[in-house]
Amino acid sequence: EALREIDLAQGAVRQLTGSLAADRQPAYSPDGRSIVFSSNRTRNLDLWILDRESGRLRQLTDAPAQDWDPGFAPDGRRILFSSGRGGGGLEVWSIAPDGSNARQISHDSVDAENPTMTADGRWIVYTSGNTEHLGLYRVRPDGSEAARITSGNHTNGEVSPDGRWALFVSSTGDGGKIRFVEIET
């Protein structure tokens, strides 16, 4: 599964990657020059980064655990992702765009996924699949002040451009509705 880019004005399709691997979950850098994505091209799900101009492809992670759900911090200086590398369940991690300085951010113990950051860089929002405390969470980039901002079986949290709201898909007995919650309060 190759990554492709579509020029919305022209309709032209440009293939960005090509292999027998599953390249997925692409996210543009804030300046639009690179794309981070997850791929199993090394038989393990790791993070890769693609320079859009040169086509240069570089592997960012190479841990035995699975790494996925990548996305850039708004300033482009960190990449957020989900990983099982802590030895327990999935946790939210961050890494520099050159692949250095990996840091664990969440301490969910089971299933922290889909990290995204507010535009001001103050909060990371993620979903927890831990049945003891299902919900949408916020945490500081240094891992402090973790708090559940809404409870229930939620997925795909996304922060609004102004950083005030988090949208998410709620599948808590309501048929998968899109809902929102104020992050700060």
Side-chain angles (χ1 to χ4, degrees):
E1 297 173 39
L3 295 182
R4 292 176 179 80
E5 184 176 62
I6 300 172
D7 180 324
L8 296 177
Q10 305 288 330
V13 177
R14 177 178 151 204
Q15 185 165 327
L16 300 174
T17 63
S19 74
L20 297 176
D23 296 340
R24 60 193 200 109
Q25 300 174 311
Y28 285 97
S29 62
D31 64 9
R33 293 182 180 166
S34 28
I35 297 172
V36 64
F37 62 97
S38 61
S39 178
N40 66 352
R41 56 184 60 222
T42 59
R43 300 204 173 155
N44 184 51
L45 205 54
D46 286 305
L47 301 186
W48 294 74
I49 195 162
L50 171 74
D51 181 288
R52 290 181 60 233
E53 187 175 314
S54 70
R56 182 174 163 239
L57 189 61
R58 196 167 29 94
Q59 186 174 359
L60 294 181
T61 63
D62 188 20
Q66 306 284 335
D67 298 328
W68 66 73
D69 291 336
F72 281 90
D75 64 7
R77 296 188 327 191
R78 301 292 293 168
I79 294 170
L80 304 172
F81 63 102
S82 300
S83 179
R85 63 179 58 205
L90 292 174
E91 298 291 355
V92 173
W93 286 71
S94 74
I95 195 167
D98 66 1
S100 68
N101 198 20
R103 294 190 318 236
Q104 183 176 339
I105 296 169
S106 69
H107 297 280
D108 184 82
S109 302
V110 177
D111 186 21
E113 295 188 56
N114 306 114
T116 184
M117 186 179 274
T118 57
D120 62 8
R122 292 183 57 201
W123 295 108
I124 294 170
V125 174
Y126 67 92
T127 55
S128 172
N130 186 332
T131 56
E132 292 183 20
H133 51 81
L134 290 170
L136 198 65
Y137 281 75
R138 70 173 192 217
V139 64
R140 298 283 186 196
D142 66 2
S144 67
E145 299 184 48
R148 183 166 47 183
I149 56 177
T150 184
S151 61
N153 189 14
H154 307 318
T155 60
N156 302 84
E158 191 64 49
V159 175
S160 64
D162 65 3
R164 182 175 176 193
W165 304 96
L167 301 172
F168 57 96
V169 177
S170 172
S171 50
T172 309
D174 58 10
K177 293 186 179 179
I178 296 174
R179 300 200 179 271
F180 64 93
V181 61
E182 193 169 29
I183 296 170
E184 202 63 43
T185 61

